[in-house]
Amino acid sequence: MALLRENRVSGVGGGEGGSTPGWITVADYGAVGDGSHFYDGVAVAGSSTFTSISANFTPAINGKIIIIYKLGATYGEMIVDTIATVAYVNASTVTLSPAAVSSITDGQFYIGTDNTAAFSAAAAAAAATQLMQPSRVGVEHPPVTKITVPSGIFLLKTLVNVSNKLVVWEYLGGASIIPAS
């Protein structure tokens, strides 16, 4: 087994770019950090039509996912309301599948690639990998797996199972994970 410190490179944690040698990166499993965040979504409960003036939808949006939020019971609380796949209609309109759960005006939403499969594949690889943490004199540390997430906004339909392993998720320069559940 390799020691984690042998695999480190300077600047890890705040840098940009590719994977660190010896560590797993979600990009190697096809993850795409192309998510975008907007605050002007409009949906009607039960309708498949969703609009946003600021999103400026294009045909490239077909097949992407959207995570739509609604206000919660307490001030500032945001709750996932709708998770859907989108189809382009025009620059301000997409079709949702399935339809919106609630009516929302000026709603907060994320739209982008569903990275659940890529993150799950990286987690499965991580579960099979055991890197030893650097030890201090007389202190034993359990094996750890490190998964790096490059810069970008990554959308997930579901949380990822890491098979009860100790996993360190390292976010490089501006990385965000937006889980829908």
Side-chain angles (χ1 to χ4, degrees):
M1 288 189 204
L3 292 176
L4 187 58
R5 71 174 151 240
E6 292 176 352
N7 294 320
R8 286 203 176 142
V9 297
S10 63
V12 170
E16 298 285 333
S19 64
T20 302
W23 293 343
I24 293 168
T25 177
V26 295
D28 290 343
Y29 293 88
V32 180
D34 65 350
S36 296
H37 189 199
F38 301 96
Y39 296 91
D40 67 340
V42 177
V44 175
S47 172
S48 61
T49 300
F50 182 84
T51 61
S52 167
I53 300 301
S54 66
N56 196 24
F57 302 121
T58 68
I61 206 75
N62 284 326
K64 306 280 185 179
I65 64 167
I66 189 168
I67 302 171
I68 305 168
Y69 293 87
K70 69 178 182 179
L71 292 176
T74 59
Y75 180 78
E77 178 185 23
M78 298 301 292
I79 299 170
V80 172
D81 181 70
T82 301
I83 306 162
T85 303
V86 298
Y88 174 80
V89 175
N90 60 44
S92 62
T93 307
V94 292
T95 301
L96 305 177
S97 178
V101 174
S102 301
S103 293
I104 297 170
T105 302
D106 291 330
Q108 183 178 165
F109 67 97
Y110 286 88
I111 193 162
T113 299
D114 177 12
N115 288 290
T116 305
F119 272 67
S120 295
T129 303
Q130 293 288 300
L131 298 174
M132 296 304 292
Q133 295 186 55
S135 62
R136 296 192 172 96
V137 177
V139 179
E140 290 294 321
H141 295 282
V144 65
T145 301
K146 180 171 270 194
I147 302 175
T148 59
V149 181
S151 184
I153 299 175
F154 297 85
L155 278 56
L156 304 174
K157 277 189 176 177
T158 61
L159 296 176
V160 174
N161 181 352
V162 293
S163 303
N164 295 318
K165 300 286 184 172
L166 178 58
V167 174
V168 175
W169 293 87
E170 180 179 47
Y171 297 74
L172 301 180
S176 297
I177 299 174
I178 310 300
S181 57

